[in-house]
Amino acid sequence: MVDSIVIEKQRLSKPEETASPDAELVSWVMGNVVRNRTARDTAFKQRWDEYYRIWRGKWSPESRSRKSERSKLVAPATQMAVDIMLAEILEAVLSREQWFDVPDDIDDKQKEDAIVARDRLREDLYKDGIVKTMAEILTNGCLYGQLNAKIVTEVVQEAVPLRIPAKNGKPARTVRGYKDRVAVYPVAVEPGQMVWDMSGPTDVDRMLGVAHEFRMPLHLIKQRQADGVFRKDAIVGPSSDEKSTQDRGELDNPMNQEDAAFITEWHGLVPKRALAKFRSGGDELALEIIGQSDADEMVEAVVTIANEGQLLRAMPNPSVMDDRAMISEQFDTVPNRFMGRGTVEKAYNSQKGLDMEHRARADALSWINNPMLAADLNRLPPKQDLNVWPGKVFGTRGDPREILTEFRFGDVNASTFQQTQEYERMIGQATGAMDPASLRGGVRDESAMGSGIAASGMIKRSKRTMFHVEEFLTRLLRRILWRKMQFDPDRYPQDYDFRVKGTIGIIAREVELAQMTQMLQFLPEGSGPQLLIVKSIFENSSSAHKGEMV
């Protein structure tokens, strides 16, 4: 995973200090993180692990519905439901080139700066892999019921071609050069990597703080220390605590523990006195002034800790809008709860019944398909090998038809196939993700209208989830654009007051544009009202060439 990067001046502690100035801050942060992590794992970890196994089709001893169960089949019905739901949302969000818009606020008369910011933001997001990131975020939402992302800000070197003109008899040539670029992009955060305030708030911005826990290779930590991102005097080794290296939501993502450290990145409130004590560098006068400050005063900060004890970085929130880089939104509404409801949770009970039916049939077939013999042991030679294979010869003392006979436990009930179909139908009802091929099963009208009527129920159910995705994208894009304006002012105009419209807002606005277009035919050519409506159409357009039209 990736951590947020904002380079700052180094503050080194004095070697003669007996007490580390960062001990108070580390103790306060990790005290909250460990307590909330334990509560989170108790409430969710076992359930998340099972959801992940169902989606990946992996069997485990916990998957058994009865002790005598031998089959390890995992039906793919829930996997299909997740795939269909992801395909629907990704198609709705990213199918069009202009999948979001940034209209300026109403009071601002200069609308062009928002249009420029929108086009540049779309270009930068695609350059930083927004399609892959959104697929990961939505997949986590389908599996665990929560859309989580962290905004990363870093300076990257981008390769560019440089043209060197001909000189001193040497021909002109093109070489590779580098330029610095401020990259601001989201990364997906699995719920098992996120520790949130379990005291009650359901909004990340109102919580005491949120931590992102992940493992980082040691060579990347050393590189960030060399770049001035982390403290250069911090000595970080591999994680040795089993609790800090256990997989949380990363069941099949092995990593060599000897080459990685466990990173805890805290985004939220911290005691102002503890933060100031660390940043003072151990200066005695500063420590005396800090000691006279209010002990209960809190400040927004970003704190990075390695292996739950080594402080790598602590700084006030660098965002000019004082907003947190962690964003979270429910995938499907669960009132008064932080965690939402995912597709796998909706299908869970039906999936368990479907797996039980499949495994019971497979276990029964193993008894029926494998040949078994019933024999009169009094009329068989002693120590006779009763195992059966092609070409086997049995020696008997008498007529073998009387001594040996085929033994069967019965046949598999044919109705079990109908029961599995009912379970699959129930999964479709629970998730709302119907197979497009099955939608036309009971529809006589194969026209576009008939297909639309058949799929209308599924679309309506998806709209509720789409509104959550819309809210998530709105908050994400607004905060990314704020950071672009702050850290890349040459490329982005300094206009922090704007709105964000996602896919649903764009579709609703297209309906409004259609209505305004119909009104044009009732107005005189060249009249004031007609020109005003034409201007409104251009300003409300989602076209990539909106700026040129205005």
Side-chain angles (χ1 to χ4, degrees), residues 44 47-48 50-52 54 78 82 141-146 331-334 339-352 427 430-431:
F44 298 105
R47 191 188 314 172
W48 287 342
E50 189 168 9
Y51 291 167
Y52 185 84
I54 290 174
T78 300
V82 171
C142 284
L143 296 183
Y144 309 111
Q146 198 73 7
F331 185 77
D332 197 8
T333 304
V334 178
M339 289 295 300
R341 186 174 61 151
T343 303
V344 182
E345 181 179 348
K346 297 178 185 178
Y348 177 77
N349 290 321
S350 300
Q351 177 70 37
K352 295 291 285 187
I427 290 176
T431 61

Side-chain angles (χ1 to χ4, degrees), residues 45 69 224 242 280 294 324 329 405 407 501 545:
K45 188 177 187 302
E69 190 174 84
R224 280 158 173 71
E242 294 182 358
S280 67
D294 186 0
R324 294 176 179 174
E329 183 73 27
T405 183
F407 182 79
K501 285 186 177 290
H545 304 285

Side-chain angles (χ1 to χ4, degrees), residues 385-440:
D385 185 3
L386 297 180
N387 291 323
V388 179
W389 61 82
K392 172 70 179 292
V393 176
F394 286 92
T396 61
R397 296 172 179 174
D399 189 351
R401 290 173 295 183
E402 298 177 359
I403 302 172
L404 298 174
T405 183
E406 181 183 2
F407 182 79
R408 299 174 63 89
F409 277 100
D411 295 326
V412 177
N413 193 336
S415 64
T416 55
F417 268 138
Q418 297 178 356
Q419 294 170 2
T420 57
Q421 292 174 3
E422 283 299 310
Y423 278 123
E424 291 176 354
R425 184 183 63 83
M426 291 166 61
I427 290 176
Q429 287 180 329
T431 61
M434 298 292 186
D435 187 358
S438 65
L439 289 174
R440 296 192 297 270

Side-chain angles (χ1 to χ4, degrees), residues 225-358:
Q225 288 178 318
D227 294 339
V229 179
F230 294 157
R231 294 170 55 193
K232 294 182 179 180
D233 62 334
I235 301 176
V236 181
S239 177
S240 57
D241 187 0
E242 294 182 358
K243 291 184 179 180
S244 66
T245 57
Q246 67 178 345
D247 288 334
R248 301 187 181 96
E250 303 179 33
L251 302 179
D252 60 347
N253 185 23
M255 179 181 290
N256 188 355
Q257 304 299 327
E258 297 180 356
D259 298 331
F262 189 75
I263 302 297
T264 301
E265 188 176 275
W266 171 268
H267 296 260
L269 296 172
V270 299
K272 185 175 182 179
R273 177 186 293 182
L275 180 63
K277 185 181 296 184
F278 164 71
R279 296 178 65 83
S280 67
D283 182 82
E284 295 182 0
L285 179 59
L287 291 176
E288 183 178 353
I289 297 175
I290 292 169
Q292 300 174 0
S293 62
D294 186 0
D296 296 330
E297 187 176 357
M298 309 290 280
V299 62
E300 280 284 337
V302 178
V303 181
T304 305
I305 301 172
N307 298 330
E308 303 187 348
Q310 179 66 55
L311 185 62
L312 295 179
R313 177 183 60 179
M315 61 181 177
N317 189 349
S319 173
V320 69
M321 302 300 287
D322 205 28
D323 58 303
R324 294 176 179 174
M326 298 290 291
I327 302 173
S328 185
E329 183 73 27
Q330 290 184 346
F331 185 77
D332 197 8
T333 304
V334 178
N336 299 322
R337 298 291 187 274
F338 173 73
M339 289 295 300
R341 186 174 61 151
T343 303
V344 182
E345 181 179 348
K346 297 178 185 178
Y348 177 77
N349 290 321
S350 300
Q351 177 70 37
K352 295 291 285 187
L354 180 61
D355 289 341
M356 179 183 64
E357 197 73 35
H358 277 301

Side-chain angles (χ1 to χ4, degrees), residues 22-63:
D22 56 7
E24 181 180 352
L25 185 60
V26 171
S27 176
W28 188 91
V29 171
M30 291 311 305
N32 285 278
V33 170
V34 172
R35 182 175 63 253
N36 288 313
R37 181 203 301 155
T38 302
R40 180 207 65 188
D41 289 346
T42 302
F44 298 105
K45 188 177 187 302
Q46 184 177 359
R47 191 188 314 172
W48 287 342
D49 292 346
E50 189 168 9
Y51 291 167
Y52 185 84
R53 289 194 299 266
I54 290 174
W55 176 59
R56 293 296 300 271
K58 294 187 174 184
W59 181 90
S60 73
E62 293 82 3
S63 303

Side-chain angles (χ1 to χ4, degrees), residues 92-307:
V93 174
L94 299 174
S95 61
R96 59 182 67 205
E97 179 181 0
Q98 194 67 30
W99 52 277
F100 72 91
D101 198 7
V102 185
D104 211 338
D105 60 295
I106 298 175
D107 297 332
D108 194 345
K109 303 302 180 183
Q110 299 294 330
K111 308 291 185 181
E112 291 78 8
D113 55 353
I115 300 172
V116 172
R118 178 202 67 181
D119 294 340
R120 289 177 177 173
L121 179 60
R122 186 179 71 252
E123 178 184 347
D124 290 344
L125 286 175
Y126 277 112
K127 187 180 297 183
D128 292 322
I130 186 62
V131 176
K132 178 179 180 295
T133 302
M134 281 304 302
E136 293 179 357
I137 293 172
L138 292 172
T139 300
N140 289 333
C142 284
L143 296 183
Y144 309 111
Q146 198 73 7
L147 303 168
N148 297 325
K150 182 178 73 173
I151 301 175
V152 176
T153 304
E154 62 179 346
V155 179
V156 298
Q157 282 193 333
E158 192 174 67
V160 294
L162 297 178
R163 186 66 176 174
I164 299 180
K167 186 178 181 180
N168 298 330
K170 296 183 178 179
R173 64 188 188 279
T174 302
V175 298
R176 180 178 60 188
Y178 295 94
K179 69 173 183 179
D180 290 338
R181 179 176 70 88
V182 178
V184 183
Y185 56 90
V187 294
V189 178
E190 296 182 26
Q193 298 175 327
M194 182 175 175
V195 181
W196 65 91
D197 183 3
M198 301 286 287
S199 62
T202 58
D203 186 0
V204 168
D205 295 329
R206 299 180 61 186
M207 293 179 178
L208 179 66
V210 183
H212 180 204
E213 296 185 323
F214 55 97
R215 288 170 293 178
M216 178 180 287
L218 295 180
H219 71 276
L220 292 181
I221 295 178
K222 294 178 180 178
Q223 180 180 342
R224 280 158 173 71
Q225 288 178 318
D227 294 339
V229 179
F230 294 157
R231 294 170 55 193
K232 294 182 179 180
D233 62 334
I235 301 176
V236 181
S239 177
S240 57
D241 187 0
E242 294 182 358
K243 291 184 179 180
S244 66
T245 57
Q246 67 178 345
D247 288 334
R248 301 187 181 96
E250 303 179 33
L251 302 179
D252 60 347
N253 185 23
M255 179 181 290
N256 188 355
Q257 304 299 327
E258 297 180 356
D259 298 331
F262 189 75
I263 302 297
T264 301
E265 188 176 275
W266 171 268
H267 296 260
L269 296 172
V270 299
K272 185 175 182 179
R273 177 186 293 182
L275 180 63
K277 185 181 296 184
F278 164 71
R279 296 178 65 83
S280 67
D283 182 82
E284 295 182 0
L285 179 59
L287 291 176
E288 183 178 353
I289 297 175
I290 292 169
Q292 300 174 0
S293 62
D294 186 0
D296 296 330
E297 187 176 357
M298 309 290 280
V299 62
E300 280 284 337
V302 178
V303 181
T304 305
I305 301 172
N307 298 330

